[in-house]
Amino acid sequence: VDLRSDTVTQPTAAMRAAMGAAVCGDDVFGDDPTVAKLEARVGDLLGKEAAVFVPTGTMGNLVSILAHCWERGSEYVVGDCAHVHIFEQGGASQFGGAHARAVPTAADGTIGDAAAVRALVRVDDQHFPATKVVALEDTHNLRGGAALPAGYGAAVAAAVRDLGVAAHLDGARVWHAAARRGEALAETAAPYDSLSVCLSKALGAPAGSVVAGSGDFVARCRRLRKGLGGTMRQTGVLAAAGLVALDEVLPKLSEDAARATALAAGLGALGFDVEAPQTNLLYFGLDEARFGFSARALVDHCADRGVRFLVVPGSTRMRMVCHHQITADGAERALAVIKAA
């Protein structure tokens, strides 16, 4: 029972069949029909003019931020607990010289109200980098898989647009955010100038993300993708799995959230400090003095018995992530192993 992440899933039989039968071209030349089909499909789902396949979510965020921060001396505003800020090597600074202006992240994943975000924008003062984009995350990993409050993205984007500042969404799990709020994906995506959405998180494809936005923006991202080494050849074998994921897994995301809720109830009954899950991510902790062992010891003990989840380094906080290959029986087994521990 592997609850470490929703990236650990195995390709389904339908995905493997589609990959084996994929019609491929050379994506460097732009003539892989399966890639083109996936890009058009995701672009339509998100209501964007164009889209481009990238090998990873990290590259999706990186090319997006660099496409917005095209000029030297640019900066992007980002939450201090955002995935792009914590877990992606500071790539925009490392590879593009873009300055990250990190601001506090609230418990719900927001980074201040729209007026506060607008006040962060720096444009014409020679002492500072020029703000080019605000980056939000939905759902928010380190904030327990929280979906941003309804209307928050639209308010932030509207507050900075007249200053010439774009809004980007790290939407690795935006599929879950839209489902949580009961929105169509295009409605969720509408306020943003760009989005990076993941096919391997949440949807269970073996690899790949898609960046969406305007035609000019995506053309710039394609150029950056090439420079970063992310342009591949017969990419249709991966795109084919992504297309299956959209048909096979996307309609069932509510089951992941329900499974997380059931796990939360079971862990709460065992005395853990549980953060109520909104989507498919579940965080919980323990009082080591009361339990008599550490979070690390619990995780290792359970892993030896075939139940795998993570401990947040340097803390007593643990994480489980539900996905389409976690069954009701699997969730019950996880709780049984933890109870026995």
Side-chain angles (χ1 to χ4, degrees), residues 16-302:
R16 293 177 188 273
M19 293 169 77
V23 179
C24 296
D26 188 322
D27 194 40
V28 176
F29 291 111
D31 61 13
D32 188 307
T34 310
V35 173
K37 183 178 180 181
L38 174 66
E39 291 170 343
R41 175 87 179 276
V42 174
D44 286 346
L45 280 172
L46 298 176
K48 298 303 181 186
E49 180 183 7
V52 57
F53 180 89
V54 292
T56 68
T58 294
M59 185 175 286
N61 283 326
L62 179 56
V63 299
S64 296
I65 290 172
L66 294 185
H68 290 299
C69 296
W70 195 249
E71 299 86 4
R72 301 291 292 185
S74 297
E75 74 172 2
Y76 60 103
V77 174
V78 64
D80 60 354
C81 291
H83 193 282
V84 68
H85 185 61
I86 301 290
F87 298 117
E88 298 179 16
Q89 268 194 29
S93 299
Q94 184 178 172
F95 298 110
H99 174 259
R101 189 173 190 194
V103 298
T105 307
D108 60 358
T110 61
I111 58 170
D113 63 23
V117 176
R118 179 182 174 89
L120 294 168
V121 172
R122 305 187 287 196
V123 178
D124 292 325
D125 192 315
Q126 64 179 328
H127 296 89
F128 306 124
T131 309
K132 297 296 183 180
V133 61
V134 175
L136 301 178
E137 182 177 338
D138 196 16
T139 62
H140 199 291
N141 183 354
L142 288 182
R143 289 297 181 255
L148 290 176
Y152 179 74
V156 168
V160 300
R161 184 160 291 125
D162 69 302
L163 301 175
V165 175
H168 170 71
L169 183 68
D170 175 2
R173 296 185 177 94
V174 72
W175 326 101
H176 277 291
R180 166 75 180 183
R181 291 189 296 265
E183 298 172 348
L185 284 162
E187 181 182 357
T188 301
Y192 299 101
D193 299 280
S194 61
L195 301 90
S196 176
V197 299
C198 195
L199 302 169
S200 55
K201 289 179 178 175
L203 299 188
S209 287
V210 178
V211 173
S214 70
D216 288 345
F217 171 82
V218 168
R220 189 171 281 187
C221 288
R222 286 187 186 277
R223 180 172 181 81
L224 288 161
R225 181 186 69 169
K226 176 66 175 177
L228 292 167
T231 302
M232 300 178 287
R233 299 293 179 171
Q234 284 67 46
T235 318
V237 293
L238 294 175
L243 286 165
V244 172
L246 292 171
D247 291 331
E248 187 178 62
V249 181
L250 179 58
K252 301 177 181 179
L253 290 187
S254 61
E255 296 176 11
D256 299 344
R259 208 82 73 219
T261 299
L263 281 166
L267 291 167
L270 293 174
F272 290 95
D273 300 319
V274 180
E275 302 172 26
Q278 290 190 25
T279 54
N280 67 320
L281 273 67
L282 168 61
Y283 284 86
F284 62 103
L286 56 78
D287 181 332
E288 294 184 353
R290 182 162 63 89
F291 275 76
F293 52 81
S294 68
R296 177 79 267 165
L298 176 64
V299 167
D300 291 343
H301 177 93
C302 292

Side-chain angles (χ1 to χ4, degrees), residues 259 326-333:
R259 208 82 73 219
I326 297 296
T327 64
D329 288 345
E332 289 177 8
R333 170 166 163 70

